[in-house]
Amino acid sequence: VQLQASGGGLVQPGGSLRLSCAASGSIFSVNAMGWYRQAPGKQRELVARITSGGSTNYADSVKDRFTISRDNAKNTVYLQMNSLKPEDTAVYYCNAVIRRTVVAAPYAYWGQGTLVTVSS
């Protein structure tokens, strides 16, 4: 199983970016999917998470600015980021809890990370 993230880049404060992360490989089911971020010198933190049923939760720092969504048919999770601030600068990692077979236990997989830089 692989998670391939894309969509990072350089954006000015107040701008927008959309991140995507697609899961591929031997997949029976995908449970929760989410985005985490890690800024220089800081610990990795949860940004947003979405269950297979569509329930979402967000870090307080991104509420009302970021929106997480998913396409279950494509095993893909998205993160729409609006009104970006310099403090949003970080490497963003996608995460997905996946069962590879009907009898396999769920396992958390990570994407490779994509850099988001918010700067003028």
Side-chain angles (χ1 to χ4, degrees), residues 3-113:
L3 298 184
Q4 183 66 46
S6 61
L10 173 63
V11 63
Q12 292 186 341
S16 298
L17 280 176
R18 189 190 193 212
L19 305 182
S20 301
C21 178
S24 63
S26 177
I27 296 173
F28 171 74
S29 65
V30 181
N31 299 341
M33 304 183 83
W35 290 95
Y36 292 70
R37 66 186 181 187
Q38 187 167 18
K42 294 188 177 181
Q43 291 189 335
R44 189 174 299 188
E45 63 175 359
L46 174 68
V47 176
R49 182 177 177 270
I50 184 168
T51 68
S52 57
S55 296
T56 60
N57 62 285
Y58 296 89
D60 288 343
S61 59
V62 306
K63 281 181 181 177
D64 301 322
R65 298 190 298 122
F66 291 9
T67 302
I68 190 170
S69 61
R70 63 190 286 171
D71 184 333
N72 290 331
K74 296 181 179 180
N75 290 331
T76 299
V77 62
Y78 306 96
L79 186 68
Q80 178 65 44
M81 305 184 294
N82 298 329
S83 302
L84 282 160
K85 305 175 181 180
E87 51 263 44
D88 295 318
T89 295
V91 177
Y92 285 69
Y93 297 91
C94 60
N95 171 275
V97 178
I98 294 172
R99 295 177 66 187
R100 298 187 63 186
T101 69
V102 65
V103 297
Y107 184 82
Y109 292 87
W110 291 90
Q112 83 282 10

